[in-house]
Structure formats: C-alpha cells, structure tokens
Amino acid sequence: MAFTGNGSGGGGGANDRSESLLSSSQPNDDYYSKNHNDSTSRHSTSLGTNQGSEMIDPADDGAYKLDDDGQRGTPTSDDGSEVDVYFVKQRRGYCSILFSLVQTIILVVMMWQCGVAPLNINPMVGPYPDALNYWGAKNSVLIIDDGEWWRLLTPILLHAGVIHLLCNVGVQLETGAFFEREWGSAKWLIVYLTSAIGSSCLSTIFMPGNISVGSSGSVCGLFGAKLSEVFCRICESRRTSQGRIGHEVRMEQCRGVMCSVVLIGLFSFIPFVDWAAHLGGFLAGLVVGLMIFSFSVGNRWWVGIWFLVGLVLTVVFYTVSLKYMYNEVEPPEEMRDVCGYYKQFFEDYECNCQLNDGR
C-alpha cells in the first residue's frame, strides 16, 4: 500500500497456485510441470500451496518421450508418465528483482543519510517525511506548481520504512515476478511504469495534501493488466494441451487477483493509506493491459478491435487525469516546507534532509 502523510502500509499479493503448471520456453531453463499421477510432490518456489508438481531438467533427454522422428516430444516424469507443462517466456523476473534491489538500497541509504524517525512519526520504521520528499516522493505542489513531473514516477522507488518495503517487495518478488516470467520483461516494464504514472496522478487529484511513496500502485497495475489478459484470452482454444493448461492457470490467477484487489480495497480506507494511488495504478494497468494483450487474441479482427478499445481508453484515462490534475487541483502551499509542516504536529520532529532551497 502506498505511504501517505506520516504513515504507510504494504501492498497485498495474489496467492497463486498456478506455478505448479509453470515451464520455461528457453531451451536451457528448468521448468515446472503438473503431474496428474503424483499428488504429493511440491516445489519450493511456489506462489501458493501446490500439489502434483515436479521439476524436470529440459537438458535431460530422458525427461522426454521421443516422437516418431526420434526428436524430443512430450515431457515425462521419473516413472515415465506424461506430464503437462505451461510455457512462459523467461526463467526469472529480472525487472522484478532489479526494482526490488534498487528499492531496498535506496531505503537503506535514505535511513543512513536522513536518520530513522520515532515510531509516533513513522510507524513503518523508516525516515522522516521530509526525507521522503527530498528523495522524490509525490508532493502535489512541487508537481503542479513547480513542474517537477518526475515525481509522478520516482515514488515507486521509495518506501516509508522497513515494514512497508517488505510487504511491497514480497508481493513484487512473488506474484510480480511470476507475471513477468509469463509476459516477458518488456511488457511487464511497460505496465509497471505506466501504472506508476496513473497511480501518482489519481493520488495528486484526490489526496493533494499528502506526501506519498511506495510501489503498491504499480503492483495494483500488474493485477489490472492480468485481468485484461484473462479477458483477452478467455475465448482462446482449449483443444490443445497448452490451451487447456493456459486457461486453467489464468483462471486460478484471476481468482487470486480478485481476492487481492478486494483485500487491498478494504485496507485502502484505513488512515495513512493512499487509496487513490491503488485505484489509479489498477485502472492504468487495466487499460494499458487491454491494449498490450489484445495481440494475444487469435482472430486478427478482434485483435484490431480490442487494441483500438485499449488505446482509446488509455488515451482518455491519461488525458483526463493529467488535464484535471494540472488545471483543477489546487495543492496546499504549506507542503512546500514539509519539515515545517510536520513540526506543527510533532515536537520531536528533526529536519535532517531538506531540499537546498529550504523547501
């Protein structure tokens, strides 16, 4: 969950059992498969509680049943029985790992440079709010009046504290990384960054008086994009093994995502949580995902239709949000001096990190 004001929260994640069907399409990667004859085996990298799964080494010719031409065909388990596999684009979620690493390093450096605030100021065990502002938090008055547009993106690299970081990074490295392995890093990165902008836009519109940080808006965008993928591929043929398994995986993911969205929605209305950032990220991921995953539709006419729908919705969402934000929102001037603002409420507040011009 996005941190706002002087408190914060952590994002939620989808408990996803579908990785028991996971496989990598890269020839040198391990993959996971679903063995219908084994109900006890489990693998350690599961997103949830998986049963009936085992790891097969694709470099091992004995793991495959040979076809009539002597080529490797259907994968088999140790006892020779055929197994179903679900192919993904890559072995690891490289961007998920990179962003999580950068977010962790930034929080450590920020706490070392600016100090750790008392728990009555920041219950997430992290720096003072003015330090977050100094490092690039969402601050409406600086975005709208001072033209610091980059603050629409930088909040995803910041977290309010250790607890906030662990919650968001945990989801990012589990569900987020799994989606990246399915989609590929390019699609994942597009959804992640565009959702960050949508998240900050709606946060600026509906909560202009708060300092906000956190990657949960982008994580919600991944959830929205997954729902768009499920929608675009709902009519995909299930006559092939991959079609059937892919449908099973996406249905499980859809249930997990819906559960996560409901939970995040409930937590979004407790104090100090930026519900607008969650909503903005989710909507951005939904419309951008519709455009991206329209190419997964088998019929080329439907590809064109859904791409056009996704493009129109994306343009409308960002155009309306940005226009309203810059023309209608009146950010409070008192947020220019974040340190002075919080000193009004906390006698023990220390200003260790401020912008050079004293803001």
Side-chain angles (χ1 to χ4, degrees):
M1 299 173 187
F3 168 87
T4 177
N6 63 342
S8 64
N15 263 348
D16 194 342
R17 295 187 297 122
S18 56
E19 193 165 352
S20 62
L21 304 172
L22 180 62
S23 164
S24 171
S25 59
Q26 300 299 324
N28 295 322
D29 294 343
D30 292 338
Y31 64 76
Y32 298 97
S33 59
K34 185 173 182 180
N35 181 355
H36 298 288
N37 296 324
D38 180 5
S39 61
T40 59
S41 59
R42 298 169 59 184
H43 62 79
S44 59
T45 59
S46 163
L47 297 178
T49 302
N50 295 307
Q51 292 188 340
S53 60
E54 62 179 295
M55 186 172 71
I56 299 175
D57 182 2
D60 179 14
D61 288 334
Y64 294 83
K65 178 180 290 186
L66 300 182
D67 58 23
D68 294 337
D69 297 327
Q71 301 297 319
R72 294 196 304 187
T74 306
T76 60
S77 62
D78 292 337
D79 61 2
S81 60
E82 295 183 6
V83 293
D84 292 330
V85 293
Y86 173 56
F87 290 98
V88 295
K89 292 185 179 296
Q90 57 193 53
R91 184 175 184 177
R92 293 185 176 89
Y94 300 106
C95 288
S96 302
I97 296 172
L98 178 61
F99 270 97
S100 298
L101 181 62
V102 171
Q103 290 160 353
T104 301
I105 293 174
I106 287 178
L107 179 62
V108 171
V109 174
M110 186 163 47
M111 293 172 67
W112 171 77
Q113 180 189 37
C114 304
V116 179
L119 294 180
N120 67 310
I121 298 176
N122 185 352
M124 293 294 106
V125 189
Y128 290 85
D130 65 286
L132 299 173
N133 182 63
Y134 175 82
W135 276 77
K138 185 225 81 180
N139 186 328
S140 300
V141 69
L142 300 183
I143 294 173
I144 296 174
D145 292 346
D146 293 0
E148 296 185 3
W149 57 266
W150 46 269
R151 288 181 181 269
L152 295 174
L153 273 174
T154 50
I156 64 173
L157 299 176
L158 308 175
H159 286 84
V162 176
I163 298 175
H164 189 204
L165 176 75
L166 291 177
C167 291
N168 280 348
V169 166
V171 178
Q172 208 164 262
L173 290 176
E174 284 283 340
T175 307
F178 180 66
F179 290 170
E180 184 181 354
R181 293 164 73 183
E182 286 186 300
W183 302 342
S185 295
K187 291 180 180 178
W188 187 95
L189 191 60
I190 291 172
V191 172
Y192 193 82
L193 294 180
T194 53
S195 297
I197 297 174
S199 170
S200 296
C201 282
L202 258 67
S203 177
T204 301
I205 291 172
F206 291 104
M207 305 183 74
N210 295 320
I211 299 294
S212 298
V213 295
S215 61
S216 53
S218 290
V219 172
C220 287
L222 297 177
F223 291 161
K226 171 54 68 175
L227 292 183
S228 289
E229 182 194 15
V230 172
F231 175 77
C232 288
R233 303 181 68 177
I234 193 67
C235 295
E236 194 173 84
S237 174
R238 298 168 213 170
R239 285 177 288 185
T240 65
S241 176
Q242 272 301 291
R244 175 178 53 80
I245 297 172
H247 178 75
E248 293 176 5
V249 170
R250 287 187 292 275
M251 288 302 100
E252 289 188 10
Q253 289 176 333
C254 184
R255 289 190 289 269
V257 166
M258 291 302 296
C259 179
S260 296
V261 169
V262 171
L263 289 175
I264 292 175
L266 293 175
F267 280 105
S268 291
F269 292 95
I270 64 176
F272 306 123
V273 174
D274 195 339
W275 62 268
H278 295 164
L279 177 62
F282 178 79
L283 292 177
L286 196 68
V287 296
V288 172
L290 189 62
M291 184 170 54
I292 291 175
F293 295 111
S294 63
F295 293 98
S296 301
V297 180
N299 187 294
R300 64 178 181 177
W301 298 108
W302 284 109
V303 169
I305 291 173
W306 289 122
F307 177 81
L308 184 60
V309 170
L311 179 62
V312 170
L313 290 177
T314 299
V315 171
V316 169
F317 174 78
Y318 284 103
T319 300
V320 172
S321 298
L322 290 170
K323 184 177 181 180
Y324 187 91
M325 183 182 74
Y326 279 109
N327 296 329
E328 303 296 333
V329 176
E330 298 182 2
E333 285 292 322
E334 59 189 3
M335 294 308 295
R336 287 187 181 278
D337 182 9
V338 176
C339 181
Y341 174 78
Y342 281 95
K343 271 191 169 183
Q344 301 176 78
F345 307 103
F346 302 100
E347 295 182 356
D348 54 345
Y349 195 94
E350 297 180 7
C351 302
N352 296 323
C353 285
Q354 297 187 75
L355 299 177
N356 291 332
D357 59 2
R359 290 191 304 217

